């Protein structure tokens, strides 16, 4: 089997629920990139990139150009099962651009799964869990006055972990945590995510004030590059500290381990360049005894399915995950969404990623 071509589609997905972090807010229509990888056997695999320029250095427009001009030409003619070889060929023509690479990586795994009749989790190591506990995220777009009601409603729908976006105003951050804890009592665990919003000293003092509300973990309290600062925070507070923006590649995961900068690692499968390199991050974390979870860039059903398969196949992914992107959208590019119910997302069991792209929706959402 050989790759014969890759089609690239920039799409605009309407947000159903506004979403904001300390880094900024998503626009009313989120920009995503969908790829369709075709082979000489008539098979097609799908992939996705979910850019957020406030979070990383790739835009939708840049991803489209990178795929079309650099990455796709070097993989045409390759056997899609030679994933390590394909990653290396791409690396030799363009450095970085891991979100663009992830779209191809997902499509490679999807087409291999379709050819073999196996779901992607079986290609990653097998089915460790059939359903993955997921987290509801209370973003900074949710006003303090509305937060308790949203938290109570989502706990009532079965979400046993709630994540609160913080990192703008420490006083208000503590109030947000207080409101949620009082609303849900002991029915749900609470984690917070500062998205790099605090200084080291502010992080320590704010987390200590929050700890009376029994935090599960605190995510990326300081700048991603400041591993010394992360280590200071981790040593100064009782709550486990999780690295997100500090870990984009296997190399940065190793640095986090060496500097004891985090107790947990958030593996967003787009950050390292797809499932292939995410496995390397997971292996480093597991060797160091660091548990992980699978985060989200608010992907459509395509990218969400990739993250769910990864979480399903890895024992080291032991914390509730955040693969709930489609719940925030008013539309999707797939025929049927990945099933999310009762606080769990269920692993698709059909071959490949287990989702079917809707060409009608793809054409419609390709129009800004």
């Amino acid at each position: 089997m050989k790759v014969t071509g890759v089609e690239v589609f920039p799409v605009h997905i309407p947000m159903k629920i506004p979403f904001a972090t300390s880094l900024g807010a998503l626009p009313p229509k989120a920009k995503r990139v969908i790829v369709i990888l075709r082979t000489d056997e008539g098979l097609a695999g799908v992939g996705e990139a979910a850019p957020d320029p406030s979070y990383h250095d790739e835009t939708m427009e840049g991803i489209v150009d990178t795929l079309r001009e650099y990455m796709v030409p070097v993989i045409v003619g390759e056997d899609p099962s030679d994933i390590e070889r394909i990653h290396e060929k791409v690396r030799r023509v363009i450095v970085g651009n891991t979100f663009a690479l992830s779209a191809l990586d997902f499509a490679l795994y999807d087409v291999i799964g379709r050819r073999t009749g196996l779901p992607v989790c079986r290609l990653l190591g097998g089915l460790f869990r059939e359903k993955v506990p997921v987290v509801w995220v209370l973003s900074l777009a949710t006003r303090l006055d509305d937060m308790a009601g949203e938290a109570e409603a989502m706990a009532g729908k079965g979400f046993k972990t709630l994540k609160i976006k913080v990192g703008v105003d420490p006083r208000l951050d503590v109030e947000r945590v207080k409101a949620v804890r009082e609303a849900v009592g002991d029915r749900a665990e609470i984690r917070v995510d500062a998205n790099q919003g605090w200084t080291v000293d502010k992080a320590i003092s704010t987390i200590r004030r929050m700890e009376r509300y029994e935090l599960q973990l605190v995510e990326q309290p300081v700048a991603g590059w400041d591993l010394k600062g992360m280590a200071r925070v981790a040593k100064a507070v009782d709550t486990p500290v999780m690295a997100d923006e500090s870990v984009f590649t296997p190399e940065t995961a190793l640095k986090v381990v060496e500097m004891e900068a985090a107790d947990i690692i958030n593996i967003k499968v787009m950050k390292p360049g797809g499932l292939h390199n995410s496995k390397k991050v997971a292996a480093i974390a597991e060797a160091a005894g660091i548990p992980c979870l699978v985060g989200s860039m608010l992907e459509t059903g395509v990218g969400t399915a990739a993250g769910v398969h990864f979480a399903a196949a890895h024992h080291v992914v032991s914390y509730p995950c955040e693969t709930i992107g489609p719940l925030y959208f008013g539309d999707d590019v797939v025929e049927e969404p990945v099933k999310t119910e009762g606080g769990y997302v269920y692993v698709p069991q059909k071959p490949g990623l287990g989702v079917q792209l809707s060409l009608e929706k793809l054409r419609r959402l390709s129009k800004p």
Side-chain angles (χ1 to χ4, degrees):
M1 183 168 59
K2 302 294 182 184
V3 176
T4 56
V6 179
E7 298 171 79
V8 182
F9 301 88
V11 296
H12 300 79
I13 313 292
M15 300 293 297
K16 179 172 65 177
I17 302 172
F19 194 87
T21 74
S22 64
L23 297 171
L26 286 183
K29 288 187 176 181
K31 296 181 177 181
R32 300 291 179 259
V33 178
I34 302 297
V35 304
I36 303 176
L37 182 148
R38 301 192 183 277
T39 74
D40 59 354
E41 295 184 357
L43 294 172
V46 297
E48 175 185 358
D52 181 353
S54 70
Y55 178 88
H56 67 106
D57 57 359
E58 293 174 77
T59 65
M60 180 183 75
E61 297 80 5
I63 288 171
V64 170
D65 287 343
T66 295
L67 286 165
R68 290 174 176 170
E69 299 297 324
Y70 293 93
M71 294 184 176
V72 171
V74 301
I75 75 166
V76 170
E78 293 291 330
D79 185 326
S81 64
D82 292 334
I83 294 180
E84 178 79 7
R85 172 183 165 84
I86 289 171
H87 272 256
E88 180 62 15
K89 286 192 71 175
V90 169
R91 188 187 69 80
R92 288 180 178 272
V93 297
I94 188 166
V95 175
N97 292 274
T98 54
F99 277 53
L101 178 59
S102 71
L104 290 180
D105 177 276
F106 296 166
L108 291 168
Y109 275 98
D110 188 35
V111 82
I112 296 166
R114 290 171 187 268
R115 187 175 195 254
T116 59
L118 296 173
V120 163
C121 59
R122 302 283 183 185
L123 305 175
L124 296 172
L127 187 68
F128 183 79
R129 51 181 70 85
E130 294 183 347
K131 60 182 181 178
V132 178
V134 287
V135 178
W136 183 256
V137 181
L138 298 154
S139 85
L140 286 172
T142 304
R143 297 172 52 225
L144 178 60
D145 293 345
D146 300 326
M147 185 157 290
E150 183 177 341
E152 191 169 17
M154 301 317 291
K157 291 183 178 181
F159 287 91
K160 296 179 176 60
T161 305
L162 303 171
K163 178 162 108 169
I164 306 171
K165 290 290 188 178
V166 294
V168 174
D169 179 341
R171 181 195 60 80
L172 185 58
D173 291 340
V174 176
E175 287 299 312
R176 290 166 71 83
V177 175
K178 178 176 183 290
V180 172
R181 177 54 74 199
E182 289 178 349
V184 302
D186 59 1
R187 289 179 296 157
E189 294 200 73
I190 296 173
R191 64 178 64 160
V192 298
D193 181 6
N195 285 109
Q196 314 177 75
W198 296 321
T199 64
V200 173
D201 290 341
K202 189 63 68 176
I204 293 170
S205 64
T206 305
I207 294 166
R208 285 175 174 170
R209 290 168 61 199
M210 290 176 172
E211 287 183 326
R212 73 187 72 175
Y213 303 111
E214 301 179 27
L215 298 180
Q216 179 192 66
L217 60 88
V218 57
E219 183 174 358
Q220 202 61 52
V222 301
W225 55 264
D226 187 8
L227 297 187
K228 288 184 179 180
M230 283 276 286
R232 281 181 56 197
V233 175
K235 289 179 173 62
V237 301
D238 294 330
T239 303
V241 170
M242 180 165 71
D244 176 9
E245 289 95 328
S246 290
V247 176
F248 267 76
T249 65
E251 293 79 9
T252 52
L254 185 58
K255 288 180 181 178
V256 165
V257 170
E258 291 173 339
M259 298 188 67
E260 300 181 344
D263 306 292
I264 307 163
I265 289 176
N266 182 344
I267 302 177
K268 293 178 177 174
V269 291
M270 287 191 186
K271 290 192 300 182
L275 300 169
H276 183 65
N277 286 337
S278 291
K279 285 183 65 67
K280 297 177 183 181
V281 173
I284 290 168
E286 188 167 19
I290 295 179
C292 300
L293 61 84
V294 174
S296 172
M297 292 301 301
L298 293 190
E299 299 94 340
T300 72
V302 176
T304 297
V308 172
H309 280 289
F310 188 87
H314 290 85
H315 173 264
V316 73
V317 177
S318 54
Y319 275 77
C321 298
E322 298 171 6
T323 48
I324 56 170
L327 300 184
Y328 289 85
F329 294 136
D331 207 341
D332 206 335
V333 296
V334 297
E335 295 281 4
E336 296 181 4
V338 178
K339 180 183 176 182
T340 302
E341 185 177 273
Y344 290 89
V345 58
Y346 288 78
V347 184
Q349 293 300 308
K350 294 179 181 178
L353 292 176
V355 293
Q356 185 63 43
L357 196 64
S358 167
L359 295 181
E360 184 276 326
K361 291 182 179 181
L362 185 63
R363 284 191 294 269
R364 173 163 46 82
L365 295 170
S366 294
K367 301 174 183 178

